[in-house]
Short mmCIF file of all heavy atoms in Angstrom, two decimals:
data_model
loop_
_atom_site.label_atom_id
_atom_site.label_comp_id
_atom_site.label_asym_id
_atom_site.label_seq_id
_atom_site.Cartn_x
_atom_site.Cartn_y
_atom_site.Cartn_z
N THR A 240 87.72 92.74 101.91
CA THR A 240 87.89 94.15 102.30
C THR A 240 88.40 95.02 101.16
O THR A 240 87.90 96.12 100.94
CB THR A 240 88.87 94.26 103.48
OG1 THR A 240 88.40 93.43 104.56
CG2 THR A 240 88.97 95.70 103.96
N PHE A 241 89.40 94.52 100.42
CA PHE A 241 90.05 95.35 99.42
C PHE A 241 89.81 94.89 97.98
O PHE A 241 90.22 95.56 97.03
CB PHE A 241 91.57 95.39 99.67
CG PHE A 241 91.95 95.85 101.05
CD1 PHE A 241 92.64 95.00 101.91
CD2 PHE A 241 91.61 97.11 101.50
CE1 PHE A 241 92.99 95.42 103.18
CE2 PHE A 241 91.96 97.54 102.77
CZ PHE A 241 92.65 96.69 103.62
N GLY A 242 89.20 93.73 97.81
CA GLY A 242 88.99 93.22 96.47
C GLY A 242 90.26 92.70 95.82
O GLY A 242 90.34 92.61 94.59
N SER A 243 91.26 92.37 96.63
CA SER A 243 92.53 91.90 96.09
C SER A 243 92.52 90.40 95.84
O SER A 243 91.64 89.67 96.30
CB SER A 243 93.67 92.27 97.05
OG SER A 243 93.40 91.84 98.37
N VAL A 244 93.51 89.93 95.11
CA VAL A 244 93.63 88.52 94.75
C VAL A 244 94.58 87.82 95.70
O VAL A 244 95.66 88.34 96.00
CB VAL A 244 94.14 88.38 93.30
CG1 VAL A 244 94.34 86.91 92.94
CG2 VAL A 244 93.18 89.04 92.33
N SER A 245 94.22 86.65 96.18
CA SER A 245 95.06 85.92 97.12
C SER A 245 95.99 84.96 96.40
O SER A 245 95.57 84.23 95.49
CB SER A 245 94.19 85.14 98.11
OG SER A 245 95.00 84.28 98.91
N CYS A 246 97.25 84.93 96.83
CA CYS A 246 98.20 83.99 96.24
C CYS A 246 97.88 82.55 96.63
O CYS A 246 98.38 81.61 96.00
CB CYS A 246 99.62 84.34 96.68
SG CYS A 246 99.94 84.18 98.46
N LEU A 247 97.04 82.35 97.63
CA LEU A 247 96.70 80.99 98.05
C LEU A 247 95.92 80.23 96.99
O LEU A 247 95.78 79.01 97.07
CB LEU A 247 95.90 81.04 99.36
CG LEU A 247 96.62 81.63 100.58
CD1 LEU A 247 95.76 81.48 101.83
CD2 LEU A 247 97.98 80.98 100.79
N ASP A 248 95.41 80.94 96.00
CA ASP A 248 94.68 80.31 94.90
C ASP A 248 95.57 80.03 93.70
O ASP A 248 95.10 79.53 92.67
CB ASP A 248 93.50 81.18 94.48
CG ASP A 248 92.46 81.33 95.58
OD1 ASP A 248 92.20 80.34 96.29
OD2 ASP A 248 91.92 82.44 95.73
N ASP A 249 96.87 80.35 93.83
CA ASP A 249 97.78 80.20 92.70
C ASP A 249 98.01 78.71 92.40
O ASP A 249 98.33 77.92 93.29
CB ASP A 249 99.12 80.86 93.02
CG ASP A 249 100.01 80.98 91.80
OD1 ASP A 249 100.67 79.97 91.46
OD2 ASP A 249 100.03 82.05 91.18
N PRO A 250 97.85 78.30 91.13
CA PRO A 250 98.01 76.89 90.78
C PRO A 250 99.41 76.33 91.03
O PRO A 250 99.56 75.14 91.36
CB PRO A 250 97.66 76.85 89.28
CG PRO A 250 97.81 78.27 88.81
CD PRO A 250 97.44 79.12 89.98
N ILE A 251 100.43 77.16 90.90
CA ILE A 251 101.80 76.69 91.16
C ILE A 251 101.98 76.38 92.64
O ILE A 251 102.57 75.35 93.01
CB ILE A 251 102.83 77.74 90.68
CG1 ILE A 251 102.84 77.79 89.15
CG2 ILE A 251 104.22 77.41 91.21
CD1 ILE A 251 103.79 78.81 88.58
N LEU A 252 101.46 77.24 93.50
CA LEU A 252 101.55 77.00 94.93
C LEU A 252 100.72 75.79 95.33
O LEU A 252 101.11 75.02 96.22
CB LEU A 252 101.11 78.25 95.71
CG LEU A 252 102.01 79.48 95.54
CD1 LEU A 252 101.40 80.68 96.27
CD2 LEU A 252 103.41 79.20 96.08
N LYS A 253 99.59 75.61 94.67
CA LYS A 253 98.78 74.43 94.95
C LYS A 253 99.52 73.16 94.54
O LYS A 253 99.43 72.13 95.22
CB LYS A 253 97.45 74.53 94.20
CG LYS A 253 96.47 75.55 94.79
CD LYS A 253 95.16 75.55 94.03
CE LYS A 253 94.14 76.49 94.67
NZ LYS A 253 92.85 76.49 93.94
N GLY A 254 100.27 73.25 93.45
CA GLY A 254 101.06 72.10 93.02
C GLY A 254 102.15 71.76 94.02
O GLY A 254 102.41 70.57 94.30
N LEU A 255 102.78 72.78 94.58
CA LEU A 255 103.82 72.55 95.58
C LEU A 255 103.22 71.97 96.86
O LEU A 255 103.84 71.14 97.53
CB LEU A 255 104.56 73.85 95.88
CG LEU A 255 105.44 74.40 94.75
CD1 LEU A 255 106.03 75.75 95.13
CD2 LEU A 255 106.56 73.41 94.42
N ALA A 256 102.02 72.41 97.19
CA ALA A 256 101.34 71.87 98.38
C ALA A 256 101.11 70.37 98.21
O ALA A 256 101.29 69.58 99.14
CB ALA A 256 100.02 72.60 98.59
N THR A 257 100.73 69.96 97.00
CA THR A 257 100.54 68.54 96.73
C THR A 257 101.87 67.79 96.81
O THR A 257 101.95 66.70 97.40
CB THR A 257 99.92 68.35 95.33
OG1 THR A 257 98.66 69.01 95.27
CG2 THR A 257 99.75 66.88 95.01
N LYS A 258 102.92 68.38 96.26
CA LYS A 258 104.24 67.75 96.25
C LYS A 258 104.74 67.49 97.67
O LYS A 258 105.27 66.41 97.96
CB LYS A 258 105.23 68.64 95.50
CG LYS A 258 106.68 68.14 95.56
CD LYS A 258 107.62 69.09 94.82
CE LYS A 258 109.07 68.62 94.96
NZ LYS A 258 110.01 69.51 94.21
N TYR A 259 104.58 68.47 98.56
CA TYR A 259 105.11 68.35 99.92
C TYR A 259 104.09 67.82 100.92
O TYR A 259 104.39 67.67 102.10
CB TYR A 259 105.64 69.71 100.40
CG TYR A 259 106.92 70.15 99.70
CD1 TYR A 259 106.88 70.94 98.55
CD2 TYR A 259 108.16 69.78 100.19
CE1 TYR A 259 108.04 71.34 97.90
CE2 TYR A 259 109.33 70.18 99.57
CZ TYR A 259 109.27 70.96 98.43
OH TYR A 259 110.43 71.35 97.80
N ARG A 260 102.87 67.57 100.43
CA ARG A 260 101.79 67.09 101.29
C ARG A 260 101.52 68.07 102.44
O ARG A 260 101.40 67.69 103.61
CB ARG A 260 102.11 65.70 101.83
CG ARG A 260 102.23 64.64 100.74
CD ARG A 260 102.48 63.26 101.31
NE ARG A 260 102.60 62.26 100.24
CZ ARG A 260 102.83 60.96 100.44
NH1 ARG A 260 102.96 60.51 101.69
NH2 ARG A 260 102.92 60.13 99.41
N LYS A 261 101.45 69.32 102.06
CA LYS A 261 101.17 70.40 102.99
C LYS A 261 100.05 71.26 102.42
O LYS A 261 99.66 71.10 101.25
CB LYS A 261 102.43 71.26 103.22
CG LYS A 261 103.55 70.55 103.97
CD LYS A 261 103.20 70.35 105.43
CE LYS A 261 104.34 69.75 106.22
NZ LYS A 261 104.01 69.63 107.66
N THR A 262 99.55 72.19 103.22
CA THR A 262 98.58 73.14 102.69
C THR A 262 99.31 74.25 101.96
O THR A 262 100.52 74.45 102.14
CB THR A 262 97.73 73.75 103.82
OG1 THR A 262 98.59 74.56 104.65
CG2 THR A 262 97.07 72.68 104.67
N VAL A 263 98.59 74.98 101.13
CA VAL A 263 99.21 76.10 100.42
C VAL A 263 99.74 77.13 101.42
O VAL A 263 100.83 77.67 101.25
CB VAL A 263 98.21 76.76 99.45
CG1 VAL A 263 98.86 77.94 98.74
CG2 VAL A 263 97.72 75.75 98.43
N ALA A 264 98.97 77.37 102.48
CA ALA A 264 99.40 78.33 103.49
C ALA A 264 100.72 77.90 104.13
O ALA A 264 101.61 78.73 104.37
CB ALA A 264 98.33 78.48 104.56
N GLN A 265 100.88 76.62 104.40
CA GLN A 265 102.12 76.13 104.98
C GLN A 265 103.29 76.28 104.02
O GLN A 265 104.41 76.60 104.44
CB GLN A 265 101.95 74.66 105.40
CG GLN A 265 101.06 74.48 106.61
CD GLN A 265 100.72 73.03 106.88
OE1 GLN A 265 100.62 72.22 105.95
NE2 GLN A 265 100.55 72.67 108.15
N ILE A 266 103.04 76.08 102.74
CA ILE A 266 104.10 76.29 101.74
C ILE A 266 104.55 77.74 101.74
O ILE A 266 105.75 78.05 101.73
CB ILE A 266 103.60 75.90 100.33
CG1 ILE A 266 103.33 74.40 100.24
CG2 ILE A 266 104.60 76.34 99.25
CD1 ILE A 266 104.56 73.52 100.40
N VAL A 267 103.58 78.67 101.78
CA VAL A 267 103.90 80.10 101.74
C VAL A 267 104.65 80.53 103.00
O VAL A 267 105.62 81.29 102.93
CB VAL A 267 102.61 80.93 101.55
CG1 VAL A 267 102.90 82.41 101.70
CG2 VAL A 267 101.99 80.65 100.19
N LEU A 268 104.21 80.05 104.16
CA LEU A 268 104.88 80.40 105.41
C LEU A 268 106.31 79.84 105.43
O LEU A 268 107.24 80.51 105.87
CB LEU A 268 104.09 79.88 106.61
CG LEU A 268 102.73 80.55 106.84
CD1 LEU A 268 102.01 79.88 108.00
CD2 LEU A 268 102.90 82.04 107.13
N ARG A 269 106.47 78.62 104.95
CA ARG A 269 107.80 78.01 104.92
C ARG A 269 108.73 78.78 103.99
O ARG A 269 109.90 79.01 104.29
CB ARG A 269 107.70 76.55 104.48
CG ARG A 269 109.04 75.83 104.47
CD ARG A 269 109.62 75.70 105.87
NE ARG A 269 111.08 75.60 105.84
CZ ARG A 269 111.83 75.47 106.92
NH1 ARG A 269 111.26 75.42 108.12
NH2 ARG A 269 113.13 75.41 106.83
N TRP A 270 108.19 79.20 102.85
CA TRP A 270 108.96 80.01 101.90
C TRP A 270 109.46 81.30 102.56
O TRP A 270 110.62 81.68 102.42
CB TRP A 270 108.09 80.33 100.69
CG TRP A 270 108.60 81.43 99.80
CD1 TRP A 270 109.55 81.32 98.83
CD2 TRP A 270 108.17 82.80 99.79
NE1 TRP A 270 109.74 82.54 98.22
CE2 TRP A 270 108.91 83.46 98.80
CE3 TRP A 270 107.22 83.51 100.52
CZ2 TRP A 270 108.73 84.81 98.53
CZ3 TRP A 270 107.06 84.85 100.25
CH2 TRP A 270 107.80 85.49 99.27
#
Side-chain angles (χ1 to χ4, degrees):
T240 305
F241 304 118
S243 52
V244 177
S245 172
C246 64
L247 298 186
D248 295 322
D249 191 278
I251 290 179
L252 294 176
K253 287 183 176 180
L255 291 176
T257 300
K258 174 181 177 179
Y259 289 92
R260 297 182 180 180
K261 292 289 185 177
T262 66
V263 179
Q265 288 171 328
I266 293 295
V267 172
L268 293 176
R269 182 65 207 181
W270 165 81

